[in-house]
Amino acid sequence: MTQHRTDWTLIAMNLAQLATISPALAELVDAVLVAWPGHEGFLHRRFRGETPERIVALDPVAVAIRAMCGASLASFADGYRRMCGMINDEELHFRRTGGYRLRRFAEVEALIYADPEEMRPYLDGILLSQVLWRNHADAIVLYHTVFLAGSRPGCRHLEIGPGHGLLLALAAADPACGVISGWDVSPTSLARSAQALDCLGLTKPVALVAVDIGNPDARPDAGFDNIVLSEVLEHLERPDLALETIHDLLAPGGRVFLNVPVNSPAPDHIYLFETPEAVVEMTAASGLDVTRVDLLPATGVTLDRARRIKATISTVIIATRPG
Ligand SMILES: C[S@@+](CC[C@H](N)C(=O)[O-])C[C@H]1O[C@@H](n2cnc3c(N)ncnc32)[C@H](O)[C@@H]1O
């Protein structure tokens, strides 16, 4: 029986309640509080106002993450703390200058994607943020319950930039996804994605290929029914060209799931989208039909306030290639 370190009785969703609805989520929260007791205030804000229904929807994601962490949960929690520190440094730069620190893909590739010592803890941290940050949790529930759930049986599914591999693993666990591919520019991400599939005991073959989606000639395959691009467009110098590539990689009638954070400083974010509307317009300009848009503000802020203070808004778009 896990001994919880904190008594969250003052908030709507306390840790004891969380543990009854999602033991996996409570374990992840606990591990982070052990690694980083000073994060408790943030986690209070994160879970304030949560409802049992929303935690039930998040539970399969938490269960998958808990399995991916395995015996190394403490080290993943440490990666989360480190990743939040990296983001905080970039946030200070953003508030001072109004822009992102790095602008060139080649710089980020050399400093982060190609360096396992940087990339591993960063990916571990992003993995835990999928349930610990409100906007990330809302986005992954949409991915799981709306986008994946709407897959046609036997569909050809591609994720570009799977990173930690969680979204790819959820696709591999979905009986509707027949043929699955993951393309990423980082060898560490490809290895982490393979590990994710392995930890979850998913034996369906998944083609993991080194691809830079910023290179218009890099198209190992095409004709996909589903394409997922979650937290990747802002990593590119020319997201407009990548969206045109996505359009061409989709089969007619195929769908894309885009998750693009605006005003979201991070060490590897180089393209600044300042409004959700800018992302929607760029998507429509690539020839895709935008069928659904969800705007998900960062933990602890309303959408109005996020717009006013330029806080992060995850812009989740589902779009279709016209048939
Ligand atoms: C922030 S992680 C996103 C992980 C996951 N999709 C998610 O939503 O949490 C970004 C991923 O995109 C990959 N990436 C960045 N630029 C890329 C490019 N030009 N081509 C392919 N993958 C890229 C990175 O290596 C990393 O694995």
Side-chain angles (χ1 to χ4, degrees), residues 113 130 159 161 163-164 184-186 189 211-213 230-231 236:
Y113 304 144
Q130 301 304 306
E159 181 171 355
H164 44 73
D184 202 297
V185 77
S186 163
S189 291
V211 174
D212 170 7
I213 196 63
S230 174
E231 303 243 354
L236 307 176

Side-chain angles (χ1 to χ4, degrees), residues 105 108 113 119 122-123 126-127 129-130 136 140 159-167 183-190 193 209-215 228-236 257 259 268-269:
F105 172 78
V108 178
Y113 304 144
M119 197 64 182
Y122 190 49
L123 290 176
I126 297 172
L127 177 67
S129 77
Q130 301 304 306
H136 283 191
I140 201 156
E159 181 171 355
I160 298 165
H164 44 73
L166 174 66
L167 281 73
W183 299 351
D184 202 297
V185 77
S186 163
T188 309
S189 291
L190 291 168
S193 293
V209 189
V211 174
D212 170 7
I213 196 63
N215 171 2
V228 177
L229 208 77
S230 174
E231 303 243 354
V232 177
L233 273 191
E234 69 284 3
H235 295 242
L236 307 176
F257 177 92
N259 176 4
D268 48 357
H269 291 183

